[in-house]
């Protein structure tokens, strides 16, 4: 990239029922775009990719109209409803920006905060920045508690601390986003795939509200979808529980062996103290074999997990060029926050 | 070059198509027209190096056009398709100069033929290169200005200028395809994909001139053939420049991932540490023609891999 070329930002928006919000969303994004141009900022909002995930309302027509009105808006229509992750991946694979921002259709993710995310990313040298809600997003105690509880449980099961930060409002380094999207299979969790490429993950606390949920009380997330998320998260991740299972198996084997030694010594030193013969040794044998089986099952599952991850496309390596960050970092340093 | 004769779309009479360059794209144009072809095609030579011999070859081509299937009636339409070119992306000035000279001669001959046959509709179709013209640019749209970075792109710009002058005489279309992939027959051009598939089958390493994050836009040669074929079969009376890209950028990672999945073998790769053409080139979907329907990359790669496999098997059987 030549030095006079602005750093390009692509925005990807999966759309399922956004008819009422899309025009406003594009207007806000245009405001950001013209604002940067007028300020002579070294970055440009180069494209907005609206991915119609077989929307259930009049969104497809709105998307086509917006794409016809604005050359920088691209319309993509998916054949059927593939889900938010698949739509996001499709959008990312159509992007060519140096950075890619993904956000929801319903304006709960303010486009004006894209610059804040970018500032955070180049300032900290991050490849991903997730927006973190400063307060309860849904303003409904049970809904926010369920969301937090689910993430905590997933962190425990997978051992991946980043899960607690996963959010659909995210800024991603373009090259990495496209690479991660291209390795994603049907059951791969996009954010888990992203974490295969980088450990430089930042979090930015923002005031985010799900206005649609607050006003209507309905959410796109049902219990069934939550379970589906959990399943995909577990399938995509190296499950920590398997290792714990293996450790338990090994510990049981160790306990059984210690017990066997103790029993042997008792038999040699004071055989008179053994009242019932055979029972303890039988229990120790069962314990030993149970531990061995548990350990071997954990080992087999670990192998299987590695194979699944390889088939999901976990890369051996990936190269990165972060040199474009310096220009943005200089610019942001010169600008008041 | 190849001459094809078909019924004229205007009604009774002949429609001759002269295709210069029967490679990846020229071959695809011929295949697209094959369903309408009504007389055996005729292959004639065109000398690239010697202008005197080239002039003689062009005279022979003129005679060939007149002599082709005269029983079909008068010559109503004549289409010229320029899809020829030997110089690749890495060509030097001395490599592209003979091509520009040959192109100039062909365009001049076309103009003379139009003067000599005033009752015939003449249309010129030129294959340019979006990659050559817009190298290093992203989000290319209708307003983007070509800024070639190497002799190959400069030559394409010169050729487009020559076609622009021709537009005062006849309708002339310029096609700017992005990175073209496809199957052009045994021994045809070995592009990135063909090399990857070929080497994967041989368990040989492939050299990649670009980074893993390099993004390009790939189009299937048969899509271009179909598009140009449609312009020939359903003539347009306005000269246009068509950007033929997919509008969907693909990173090298994605290309390699799909190729590996399709071939079913691991790819052995060797990356050029300082590639000279690692710049991104992408296009906006809004800049593409309305009736242009590019094939999805994975589907296209599967098609090409299958054609290559069949070609390998046929070659092995012959041996």
């Amino acid at each position: 990239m030549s030095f006079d070329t602005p750093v390009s930002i692509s925005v990807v928006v999966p759309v399922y029922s956004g008819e009422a919000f899309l025009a406003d969303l594009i207007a806000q994004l245009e405001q950001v775009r013209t604002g940067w141009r007028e300020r002579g900022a070294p970055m440009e909002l180069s494209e907005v990719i609206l991915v119609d995930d077989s929307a259930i309302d009049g969104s497809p027509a709105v998307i086509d109209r917006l794409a016809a009105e604005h050359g920088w808006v691209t319309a993509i229509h998916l054949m059927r409803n593939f889900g938010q992750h698949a739509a996001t991946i499709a959008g990312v694979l159509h992007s060519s920006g140096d950075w890619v921002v993904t956000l929801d259709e319903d304006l709960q993710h303010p486009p004006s905060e894209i610059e804040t995310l970018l500032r955070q990313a180049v300032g900290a040298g991050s490849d991903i920045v997730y927006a973190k809600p400063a307060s309860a997003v849904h303003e409904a105690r049970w809904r926010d508690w369920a969301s937090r509880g689910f993430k905590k449980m997933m962190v425990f099961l997978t051992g991946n601390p980043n899960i607690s930060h996963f959010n659909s409002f995210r800024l991603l380094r373009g090259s990495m986003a496209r690479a991660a999207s291209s390795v994603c299979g049907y059951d791969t969790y996009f954010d888990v795939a992203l974490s295969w490429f980088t450990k430089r993950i930042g979090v930015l606390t923002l005031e985010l509200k799900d206005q649609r949920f607050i006003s209507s009380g309905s959410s796109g997330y049902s219990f069934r979808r939550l379970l589906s998320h959990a399943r995909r998260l577990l399938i995509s991740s190296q499950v920590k529980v398997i290792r714990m299972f293996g450790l338990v198996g090994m510990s049981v084997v160790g306990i059984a062996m210690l017990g066997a030694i103790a029993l042997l010594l008792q038999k040699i030193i004071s055989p008179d103290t053994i009242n019932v013969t055979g029972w303890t040794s039988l229990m120790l044998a069962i314990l030993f074999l149970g531990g061995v089986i548990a350990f071997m099952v954990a080992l087999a599952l670990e192998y299987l997990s590695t194979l699944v991850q390889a088939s999901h496309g976990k890369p051996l390596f990936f190269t990165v060029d972060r040199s474009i960050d310096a220009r943005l970092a200089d610019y942001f340093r010169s600008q008041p926050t | 070059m190849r001459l094809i004769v078909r019924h004229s779309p205007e009604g009774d009479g002949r429609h001759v198509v002269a295709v210069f360059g029967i490679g990846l794209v020229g071959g695809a144009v011929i295949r697209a027209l094959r369903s309408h072809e009504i007389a055996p095609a005729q292959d004639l030579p065109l000398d690239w190096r010697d202008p005197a011999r080239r002039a003689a070859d062009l005279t022979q081509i003129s005679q060939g056009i007149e002599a082709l299937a005269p029983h079909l009636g008068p010559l109503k339409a004549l289409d010229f398709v320029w899809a020829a070119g030997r110089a690749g992306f890495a060509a030097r000035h001395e490599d592209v100069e003979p091509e520009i000279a040959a192109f100039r001669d062909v365009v001049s001959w076309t103009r003379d033929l139009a003067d000599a046959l005033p009752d015939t509709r003449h249309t010129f179709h030129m294959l340019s290169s979006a990659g050559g013209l817009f190298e290093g640019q992203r989000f290319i749209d209708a307003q983007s200005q070509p800024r070639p970075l190497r002799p190959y792109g400069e030559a394409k710009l010169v050729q487009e200028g020559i076609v622009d002058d021709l537009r005062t005489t006849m309708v002339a279309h310029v096609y700017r395809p992005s990175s073209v992939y496809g199957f052009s027959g045994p021994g045809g051009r070995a592009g990135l994909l063909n090399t990857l598939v070929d080497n994967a089958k041989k368990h040989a390493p492939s050299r990649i001139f670009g980074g893993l994050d390099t993004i390009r836009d790939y189009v299937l040669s048969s899509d271009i053939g179909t598009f140009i074929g449609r312009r020939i079969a359903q003539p347009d009376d306005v000269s246009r420049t068509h950007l033929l890209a997919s509008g969907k950028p693909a990173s090298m990672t994605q290309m390699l991932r799909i190729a590996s999945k399709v071939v079913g073998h691991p790819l052995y790769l060797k990356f050029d540490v300082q590639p000279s053409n690692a710049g991104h080139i992408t296009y906006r979907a809004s800049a593409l023609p309305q009736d242009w329907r590019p094939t999805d990359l994975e589907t296209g790669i599967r098609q090409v891999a299958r054609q290559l496999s069949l070609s390998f098997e046929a070659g092995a059987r012959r041996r």
Side-chain angles (χ1 to χ4, degrees), chain B residues 21-28 31 83 184:
Chain B
I22 314 162
L24 192 57
V25 178
R31 280 192 291 279
S184 57

Side-chain angles (χ1 to χ4, degrees), chain A residues 103-162:
Chain A
L103 45 84
D104 286 356
E105 63 193 355
D106 55 5
L107 295 168
Q108 68 166 299
H109 302 147
S112 55
E113 298 292 359
I114 293 173
E115 186 172 333
T116 324
L117 290 172
L118 203 55
R119 185 188 284 265
Q120 158 93 2
V122 296
S126 304
D127 296 319
I128 305 174
V129 179
Y130 286 108
K132 183 185 175 187
S135 55
V137 178
H138 306 95
E139 292 186 354
R141 194 173 294 167
W142 65 267
R143 181 67 183 81
D144 290 308
W145 178 86
S147 176
R148 275 198 304 272
F150 169 74
K151 284 181 176 175
K152 275 186 182 162
M153 188 177 75
M154 286 298 125
V155 170
F156 171 74
L157 288 174
T158 63
N160 182 350
N162 296 319

Side-chain angles (χ1 to χ4, degrees), chain A residues 138-201:
Chain A
H138 306 95
E139 292 186 354
R141 194 173 294 167
W142 65 267
R143 181 67 183 81
D144 290 308
W145 178 86
S147 176
R148 275 198 304 272
F150 169 74
K151 284 181 176 175
K152 275 186 182 162
M153 188 177 75
M154 286 298 125
V155 170
F156 171 74
L157 288 174
T158 63
N160 182 350
N162 296 319
I163 289 176
S164 57
H165 308 310
F166 287 177
N167 193 300
S168 54
F169 191 19
R170 32 169 130 68
L171 175 79
L172 312 165
R173 194 173 290 281
S175 55
M176 178 207 63
R178 283 182 286 273
S181 298
S182 65
V183 302
C184 276
Y186 182 74
D187 268 329
T188 319
Y189 202 93
F190 181 48
D191 294 281
V192 173
L194 287 169
S195 63
W196 292 339
F197 286 81
T198 186
K199 298 290 172 211
R200 294 194 183 194
I201 299 171

Side-chain angles (χ1 to χ4, degrees), chain B residues 128-135 137 145-149 153-154 156-157 160 176:
Chain B
S128 181
S129 162
L133 298 174
F134 298 104
E135 187 179 355
Q137 295 188 48
Q145 293 302 311
R147 284 200 303 269
L149 299 178
E154 287 166 12
K156 290 294 176 193
L157 200 55
E160 283 198 10
R176 292 172 170 174

Side-chain angles (χ1 to χ4, degrees), chain B residues 20-24 48 82-88 95 99-100 127 152 156 159 189:
Chain B
F20 293 88
I22 314 162
L24 192 57
W48 280 80
W82 179 265
R86 290 180 181 180
D95 301 321
E99 287 200 16
I100 295 174
L127 255 301
Y152 174 78
K156 290 294 176 193
Q159 289 181 338
R189 200 186 82 161

Side-chain angles (χ1 to χ4, degrees), chain B residues 23-319:
Chain B
L24 192 57
V25 178
V29 173
I30 290 169
R31 280 192 291 279
L33 291 170
R34 192 170 280 164
S35 55
H36 308 286
E37 198 179 324
I38 48 164
Q42 189 180 358
D43 285 346
L44 292 166
L46 179 74
D47 196 286
W48 280 80
R49 294 273 160 196
D50 184 355
R53 289 180 74 174
R54 188 157 58 234
D57 288 344
L58 288 170
T59 308
Q60 204 190 342
I61 294 167
S62 302
Q63 291 162 357
I65 290 169
E66 293 208 17
L68 202 62
H71 62 281
L72 293 174
L75 184 63
K76 289 275 185 176
L78 188 49
D79 278 75
F80 308 92
V81 180
W82 179 265
R86 290 180 181 180
F89 222 56
R92 297 161 302 173
H93 276 111
E94 52 267 41
D95 301 321
V96 297
E97 271 158 17
E99 287 200 16
I100 295 174
F103 182 70
R104 224 181 269 280
D105 285 352
V106 169
V107 170
S108 169
W109 165 79
T110 307
R111 195 177 273 124
D112 292 345
L113 215 56
D115 291 341
L117 301 165
D119 297 331
T120 306
R121 178 182 54 78
H122 295 80
T123 312
F124 196 89
H125 307 263
M126 181 223 159
L127 255 301
S128 181
S129 162
L133 298 174
F134 298 104
E135 187 179 355
Q137 295 188 48
R138 268 185 287 178
F139 310 104
I140 296 155
D141 57 19
Q143 281 72 49
S144 301
Q145 293 302 311
R147 284 200 303 269
L149 299 178
R150 58 183 77 223
Y152 174 78
E154 287 166 12
K156 290 294 176 193
L157 200 55
V158 170
Q159 289 181 338
E160 283 198 10
I162 296 168
V163 173
D164 213 26
D165 293 340
L166 186 67
R167 282 173 171 169
T168 53
T169 314
M170 65 180 75
V171 171
H173 293 287
V174 171
Y175 305 93
R176 292 172 170 174
S178 55
S179 301
V180 185
Y181 70 99
F183 178 70
S184 57
R189 200 186 82 161
L192 168 67
L193 178 69
N194 301 24
T195 308
L196 285 173
V197 173
D198 192 16
N199 287 345
K201 286 188 182 296
K202 291 177 190 161
H203 298 280
S206 302
R207 194 168 176 195
I208 305 293
F209 296 94
L212 279 170
D213 59 343
T214 302
I215 41 174
R216 290 285 161 80
D217 182 295
Y218 297 94
V219 283
L220 189 60
S221 57
S222 59
D223 287 344
I224 301 169
T226 307
F227 186 81
I228 298 175
R230 207 159 44 231
R231 295 276 128 358
I232 293 170
Q234 297 157 12
D236 192 349
D237 53 6
V238 181
S239 297
R240 295 179 205 276
T241 296
H242 311 268
L243 179 64
L244 303 183
S246 72
K248 179 190 173 299
S251 65
M252 187 63 79
T253 314
Q254 190 185 0
M255 185 71 160
L256 296 174
R257 172 100 179 133
I258 297 173
S260 170
K261 192 166 78 173
V262 168
V263 176
H265 290 294
L267 303 177
Y268 301 104
L269 303 170
K270 186 179 168 190
F271 287 92
D272 194 330
V273 283
Q274 282 186 314
S276 62
N277 63 342
H280 306 311
I281 317 174
T282 67
Y283 308 85
R284 285 197 196 283
S286 58
L288 309 180
Q290 288 213 323
D291 58 340
W292 164 245
R293 299 278 176 276
T295 303
D296 161 70
L297 184 62
E298 184 160 341
T299 311
I301 290 178
R302 284 187 188 282
Q303 280 179 21
V304 176
R306 181 160 171 73
Q307 287 162 330
L308 281 168
S309 294
L310 291 173
S311 168
F312 294 147
E313 286 165 20
R317 276 198 298 274
R318 277 197 296 275
R319 282 195 294 273

